[in-house]
Each structure stands twice: as structure tokens, then as C-alpha cells.
Amino acid sequence: MTVDADPARVRAEAVPLTRVRPAIRIGPFSAVRRISVLLTVIALAIAVFVLFAIDISVGAFQIPLGRVLDVLGGAGTRAQRFVILESRLPRAVTAVIAGAGLGLAGAVSQSILRNPLASPDVLGIGTGASFAAVAVIGSGTAGTGLAATTGVPLAALGGGLLTAAVIYLLAWRRDGAGSAGVSGIRLVLIGIGVNTMLTAGVSWLLTLTSRTDAARAQLWLTGSLDGADWSRTVPAAIGLAVVLAGAAASARTLAALRFGDETVRALGVRVQTAQALLVGSAVIAAALATAAVGPLTFVGLAAPQIARRLLRLPGEPVLGSALCGALIVLAADIAARTVVPVDLPVGIVTAACGAPLLLFLLVRINRKAARS
């Protein structure tokens, strides 16, 4: 006589145990150890350095990569050091900062809003910065002296922060249960509307300015690295380093926010406070990048999606997105100076390459919605 086994017990024994990943703990901070993710991040960092050196080597006359590395290591003649350190190095460093800032901003905003289309340029942050910068350029007060180097970046930074604050306040609502907060889809829709209004405002400002100021503003609006210098690069680098450190320290909260408000509250996290701090860090990063180089479209949209697929993670990684953003801007700057006979603003290359990605994401979202 045989006794049949309990089917539920058989199924439970057939299910393999989930492998527990080892973790790294440093004081109050801990992280799951994933070798493949670590190796991919190291590979991305190496790729950034290679493109960084290539970006310095190309220009009106080519400089061998070996000579570039020698000068960066402290060797080289006086003329070589002047060309590389004073002329081309600020441009390459600015490209890295702008790309990393936009990639970081895109990763944070897409994670919080749980929407792959939620990037700073789509939400109107970059357009707000552009509106303020064009207003300063058109006023004629940023042409000489200290205002020539700090007026436009400061105006762009203030415009981006003010636009983000307005969008966040307009998206704030209290539901029927009495809880107040910001809905992701509401914030995206309001951001798109504000972006459209500010785009019209920029065009209106251009019609009011003189021909010379309009040409100067139009050049800034294309997103160009031609005017990069240490006076803009150093403050942007310091600000981005602070924001990146804060976002990296909040990686656990950011990961929890991807699962929804209820899960976050169950983990003991104050949802609105965490959202406001992380959104603020994303806005500052995007505004710093825009202030340094002008608006670069689609970088904040593309970098997190590329990083998520390369690292094979469920959400948009902060550090990986920053590295991918730097890679995109460096590659676009190299292409803008080598592929076509004339130098193009880097913003034109990122816009041309980012538009197909936006269409791909829209088609992918529509297909996913149709299956659900």
C-alpha cells in the first residue's frame, strides 16, 4: 500500500531556494554584492576615460593619444601643455559633467515617477533654464565683465530651479482620504504643459531681442561646448559631486520608491520628504548641466534606459546612468567635430540621435499597455 504525497508539499519542495546574495556593510550603509554589475560599472568608467582622451586629441590639429596621456600625467612641452590643459581639457571635462548631471537627473526622475519618459528636458526643467538664460542675454547685461561669465549660468540655474518648484506645487494635491502628495502621471503632464509654454516664451523673447543678442542666444540654445572654460566648469563640478554623493547615499530610498507609496511607508520612509529631496537633487543636477553647456535634449532620457539594460537591473541606476550620460555627450562631441566637415553644436547631435530612442520608448510603452 502506498500513500500519495501531498501535492502542495511536492510543489514546495520542487521550487528551488532563492539564492541569497552576499552584501557589503559599511556602518549604517549596506549594498548587495553583484560582481557583474561592478564589472559593468568599471567597464563604463574605462570607456568614459578612453572617450575623454579621444575628445582631447581631436580638434583643429590632431594630437596623438599617447601625447595626451603624457601631458595629463605631467609631462609634455610648454606648448603642448597649454593647448591640452588650457584649451581642450575644460571642454572635455565640461562634457563629462554635463552628461553625468543629465544622466543622474534622468535616473532619479524616472525612478521616482516610475515613467521612462520622465526626463528633465521633457518635464521642462531645461526649458525653464533656457527661458531665464535667453532673458538675461536679451537684456544686454551679460555681454561684458563678470556678468559675461556668471550671468547666463546663474540665470539658467535659477530658471531651472524655479520651474521645478512651480511644477511640483502645481502637481501637489490632497486626495479624498486626506493624504497629500504628488502623483507621478500628474507631474509628468503638468511638466509637459509647462515645457510647451516655456518653449513658446523662449521664441517670444527671441523676437524682442536685437539681432546680435538673438544670434548669441540661439547659439546657447543649441547646447554648445565651444565656450567651455574653468570659470564655469569648476563650480558645476563641485555642485555635481555633492549631488551625486547625496543621490548615491539615497540609493536604498530611491529603490524603495520604485515599488509605490504603500511599500515605501511600510519600510518606514517618509514618502513626500524623500520625493522632495530626490527631486530637488535631480533638478539641481539638470540645472547645473544646462548652466554649464546649454540645453542638451534626450541625454537625461536615454542614459538611464541604456544603463538599466547594460547593468540588467530592474530600476535606473544612479552611478551607471551618470557614466552613460558622460559617454553619450563625449561621443556626441567627438562625432560633431569629426563626422561632418564643419563643427556642429553637441546639442544638435544628441537631439538627432535621441529622437529615434524616444519613438522606440513610446512604441514599447504602447505595446506593454496593449498587452495589459
Side-chain angles (χ1 to χ4, degrees), residues 20 46 181-182 305 350:
V20 178
I46 294 174
V182 175
Q305 297 302 314
T350 60

Side-chain angles (χ1 to χ4, degrees), residues 326-341:
L327 271 177
I328 292 172
V329 178
L330 284 170
D333 189 39
I334 295 171
R337 289 188 289 159
T338 57
V339 175
V340 293

Side-chain angles (χ1 to χ4, degrees), residues 126-156:
T127 312
S130 300
F131 183 87
V134 171
V136 171
I137 294 173
S139 66
T141 58
T144 58
L146 183 63
T149 56
T150 61
V152 175
L154 287 178

Side-chain angles (χ1 to χ4, degrees), residues 131-189:
F131 183 87
V134 171
V136 171
I137 294 173
S139 66
T141 58
T144 58
L146 183 63
T149 56
T150 61
V152 175
L154 287 178
L157 180 62
L161 294 175
L162 181 61
T163 303
V166 170
I167 294 173
Y168 196 84
L169 290 176
L170 290 176
W172 183 276
R173 286 289 184 279
R174 186 177 296 278
D175 57 19
S179 60
V182 175
S183 166
I185 186 64
R186 187 190 305 136
L187 194 145
V188 170
L189 293 176

Side-chain angles (χ1 to χ4, degrees), residues 265-339:
R265 290 191 183 95
L267 294 174
V269 178
R270 295 182 177 179
V271 178
Q272 298 307 323
T273 303
Q275 280 185 347
L277 291 176
L278 286 169
V279 168
S281 66
V283 170
I284 292 174
L288 286 172
T290 306
V293 69
L296 298 179
T297 54
F298 295 118
V299 177
L301 177 76
Q305 297 302 314
I306 296 173
R308 186 168 68 87
R309 284 162 175 78
L310 287 177
L311 273 65
R312 297 182 180 180
L313 293 174
E316 292 78 10
V318 173
L319 182 58
S321 300
L323 291 172
C324 284
L327 271 177
I328 292 172
V329 178
L330 284 170
D333 189 39
I334 295 171
R337 289 188 289 159
T338 57
V339 175

Side-chain angles (χ1 to χ4, degrees), residues 25-312:
R25 296 183 183 279
I26 302 176
F29 302 100
S30 63
V32 177
R33 190 174 62 192
R34 294 186 175 93
I35 300 300
S36 61
V37 173
L38 179 62
L39 293 177
T40 306
V41 170
I42 293 174
L44 284 173
I46 294 174
V48 168
F49 181 75
V50 171
L51 287 187
F52 177 79
I54 294 174
D55 194 38
I56 294 176
S57 69
V58 300
F61 60 91
Q62 299 288 331
I63 301 176
L65 274 178
R67 190 64 51 84
V68 171
L69 297 178
D70 289 341
V71 173
L72 292 179
T77 65
R78 186 174 181 179
Q80 292 168 350
R81 293 178 61 82
F82 175 79
V83 172
I84 292 177
L85 299 181
E86 299 299 329
S87 177
R88 298 188 180 182
L89 186 61
R91 181 185 185 112
V93 172
T94 304
V96 172
I97 292 172
L102 293 173
L104 185 153
V108 173
S109 57
Q110 291 178 11
S111 296
I112 293 176
L113 302 178
R114 298 186 286 277
N115 191 327
L117 300 178
S119 65
D121 47 335
V122 175
L123 295 178
I125 310 301
T127 312
S130 300
F131 183 87
V134 171
V136 171
I137 294 173
S139 66
T141 58
T144 58
L146 183 63
T149 56
T150 61
V152 175
L154 287 178
L157 180 62
L161 294 175
L162 181 61
T163 303
V166 170
I167 294 173
Y168 196 84
L169 290 176
L170 290 176
W172 183 276
R173 286 289 184 279
R174 186 177 296 278
D175 57 19
S179 60
V182 175
S183 166
I185 186 64
R186 187 190 305 136
L187 194 145
V188 170
L189 293 176
I190 292 176
I192 292 174
V194 172
N195 187 25
T196 304
M197 292 175 59
L198 289 172
T199 301
V202 170
S203 300
W204 175 65
L205 286 178
L206 288 176
T207 63
L208 300 179
T209 60
S210 65
R211 185 174 299 176
T212 303
D213 290 337
R216 186 178 171 215
Q218 195 64 50
L219 177 62
W220 187 87
L221 288 172
T222 57
S224 176
L225 290 165
D226 286 343
D229 55 32
W230 292 119
S231 63
R232 298 182 184 180
T233 303
V234 173
I238 296 173
L240 181 62
V242 174
V243 173
L244 183 59
S250 305
R252 183 181 177 185
T253 303
L254 188 62
L257 288 172
R258 299 189 185 106
F259 294 100
D261 295 349
E262 297 299 329
T263 304
V264 179
R265 290 191 183 95
L267 294 174
V269 178
R270 295 182 177 179
V271 178
Q272 298 307 323
T273 303
Q275 280 185 347
L277 291 176
L278 286 169
V279 168
S281 66
V283 170
I284 292 174
L288 286 172
T290 306
V293 69
L296 298 179
T297 54
F298 295 118
V299 177
L301 177 76
Q305 297 302 314
I306 296 173
R308 186 168 68 87
R309 284 162 175 78
L310 287 177
L311 273 65
R312 297 182 180 180

